[in-house]
Amino acid sequence: VWTEPILHVDMDSFFVEVERLDDPTLTGKTVAVGGPGPRGVIASASYEARRFGVRSAQATSTARRMCPELVVIPPRHERYSEISARVFSVFRSFTPLVEGLSLDEAFLDVSGLRKHYESPVEVGEAVRTRLRTDLGLPASVGVASVKFLAKLASEVAKPDGLRHVRKEDQLAFLHALPASSLWGVGPATLAALSRLGVERVGDVASMPETTLVAAVGPTVGRHLHDLARGHDPRVVVPDIDVKSVSVEETYDQDLLGREVVETALLAHAQRLSGRLRRAGLRARTVTLKVKYPDFTLATRSHTLAAAVDGSRQLYQAALELARGLDVGAQPVRLLGLGGGSLEPADTPTQLEIGHEVEWDKVEDAVAEVRQKFGDRAVGPARLLTGREHPGSSQEP
Ligand SMILES: [Mg+2]
């Protein structure tokens, strides 16, 4: 089990970098996005401009005084939203457990990717590489045991870096930071803390909870007491509720005959298994959807004794459902296979009697190859030849 499964990914000067995507001549220059008028405010500053003291939330007039060469670009929020959607689909291609904080930052819980990557750091680097190569955008990543530490780590990693805070080092990392870095510490709390002589998070940590409560009230006091010890019970809450995962295909030519349909179901089971595994999820219910040439639709669901993510188990369930519908008796236009009642793959399950551990290993190896080379890289011989080769995947 990974001890630091939480990633905080934060795009570097996002608005500026989007402007640079659309106008590469801005690269390397002192650029800021903000209102250019007399009452304008800077929304995002390039790192080149930050060297002159330009900051976001600064009046544009101040920024221009600090950096006379500053190129100020009026914001184009629609464009940033458009690119933000692409950024988030990169995040979600790694895990569905993505919690957005704004257009350009999110928490990712990557604990489900243990079988596909060596470490959460490797996941973080893969996310950064994808953002760079697919979208042309730099991002920084913090990797830690809990959310607020991951966020502090990405701050330290900036620009264009990754910071891994190991669990055994997290208190040393945290205690050296200024007290203002603790989540929820605003100016009033900070003033109250500095009256107590608090400068660093370490000072907060060494203070009795009663003293903190007396100084800043019970809610904030207890919150700070916990945070200063690295405690943060909040989990990553995905923006999109993941209720089911499914694969579906409408065929150019209607499928006819039981064997043809079963071969198609095998392909579906493999794709569904790949999706579940990449998401770190298992399905407790399996649903088969069949559409006929006259557009009538039939669906059947089955609840399993234990949640599964393996293609063979999914295929077995699909076969039973298909036989219940007597597919093969008439042509099939569309086939869908879905997994519902999802649970994290980490949930301990009792090994079923007769459960073959060896087969699990094969499936894990297959999942790994797919993760690297795509869904179609490996599969049973039956799918490769298009002829009937039931092979081991059909054994009960
Ligand atoms: Mg950012």
Side-chain angles (χ1 to χ4, degrees):
V1 175
W2 285 345
T3 46
E4 299 97 29
I6 310 297
L7 267 49
H8 179 255
V9 187
D10 192 1
M11 308 305 290
D12 299 326
S13 40
F14 182 57
F15 297 172
V16 167
E17 291 299 334
V18 173
E19 294 300 338
R20 285 174 169 172
L21 276 186
D22 294 346
D23 179 2
T25 66
L26 297 171
T27 304
K29 289 190 182 149
T30 51
V31 188
V33 168
R39 290 161 163 272
V41 170
I42 300 298
S44 169
S46 72
Y47 279 83
E48 292 83 352
R50 290 185 204 198
R51 281 208 265 309
F52 291 84
V54 177
R55 296 280 178 269
S56 56
Q58 199 170 50
T60 302
S61 54
T62 309
R64 284 192 200 279
R65 262 200 310 279
M66 297 184 118
C67 177
E69 305 285 290
L70 189 67
V71 180
V72 180
I73 299 164
R76 295 183 300 150
H77 290 291
E78 258 175 47
R79 182 67 175 145
Y80 309 146
S81 300
E82 209 175 287
I83 303 293
S84 169
R86 291 189 210 161
V87 167
F88 274 74
S89 56
V90 168
F91 295 163
R92 292 202 182 90
S93 71
F94 285 86
T95 172
L97 299 179
V98 174
E99 178 181 348
L101 297 179
S102 70
L103 277 186
D104 77 317
E105 58 178 309
F107 288 115
L108 278 65
D109 180 338
V110 299
S111 43
L113 299 176
R114 269 182 298 125
K115 285 177 178 166
H116 311 298
Y117 293 87
E118 281 292 310
S119 67
V121 169
E122 202 182 271
V123 181
E125 287 299 0
V127 172
R128 274 165 40 72
T129 304
R130 281 280 305 283
L131 291 167
R132 173 69 80 180
T133 54
D134 293 7
L135 305 181
L137 294 170
S140 297
V141 173
V143 181
S145 64
V146 292
K147 283 163 85 171
F148 94 104
L149 284 171
K151 189 165 161 71
L152 293 174
S154 74
E155 200 55 49
V156 174
K158 283 185 166 297
D160 202 13
L162 180 143
R163 176 65 188 259
H164 177 206
V165 178
R166 284 190 177 77
K167 194 154 189 199
E168 59 268 32
D169 304 330
Q170 73 185 27
L171 288 185
F173 167 79
L174 180 61
H175 289 174
L177 295 172
S180 59
S181 22
L182 286 180
W183 205 304
V185 173
T189 308
L190 200 58
L193 288 176
S194 61
R195 278 196 291 277
L196 295 173
V198 166
E199 281 178 21
R200 311 256 142 208
V201 177
D203 302 329
V204 179
S206 61
M207 201 155 275
E209 192 176 350
T210 48
T211 312
L212 284 170
V213 168
V216 297
T219 313
V220 178
R222 276 185 216 120
H223 171 72
L224 293 182
H225 183 79
D226 282 350
L227 289 186
R229 279 162 184 72
H231 297 162
D232 181 5
R234 294 165 313 155
V235 298
V236 173
V237 181
D239 306 326
I240 295 171
D241 200 9
V242 193
K243 288 204 178 72
S244 66
V245 176
S246 62
V247 294
E248 196 175 285
E249 190 163 348
T250 301
Y251 299 95
D252 297 336
Q253 281 188 314
D254 293 342
L255 304 181
L256 187 57
R258 203 174 102 176
E259 278 161 16
V260 176
V261 172
E262 288 181 357
T263 302
L265 283 178
L266 179 55
H268 272 25
Q270 295 196 322
R271 284 171 61 202
L272 183 58
S273 166
R275 287 203 193 166
L276 287 167
R277 282 165 182 259
R278 276 196 291 276
L281 296 167
R282 287 193 179 128
R284 187 79 189 270
T285 60
V286 177
T287 301
L288 175 69
K289 177 169 152 189
V290 183
K291 201 188 263 180
Y292 299 101
D294 63 359
F295 290 91
T296 55
L297 192 67
T299 57
R300 288 287 184 281
S301 289
H302 178 60
T303 301
L304 303 163
V308 301
D309 63 2
S311 62
R312 193 175 63 143
Q313 298 147 310
L314 293 166
Y315 180 54
Q316 286 303 327
L319 276 188
E320 276 172 41
L321 292 168
R323 281 168 191 163
L325 283 174
D326 195 21
V327 296
Q330 49 177 319
V332 168
R333 178 183 161 79
L334 172 150
L335 269 185
L337 188 64
S341 303
L342 300 175
E343 38 189 75
D346 287 343
T347 308
T349 51
Q350 265 186 306
L351 280 186
E352 291 165 69
I353 296 166
H355 185 97
E356 299 120 285
V357 175
E358 280 310 307
W359 186 268
D360 274 358
K361 286 186 191 153
V362 172
E363 297 221 329
D364 286 346
V366 168
E368 212 158 290
V369 173
R370 287 222 174 87
Q371 175 79 13
K372 286 187 176 133
F373 303 107
D375 271 347
R376 297 187 191 279
V378 279
R382 183 175 181 177
L383 293 182
L384 296 178
T385 60
R387 291 186 2 241
E388 196 193 3
H389 282 291
S392 54
S393 58
Q394 213 187 24
E395 296 301 314

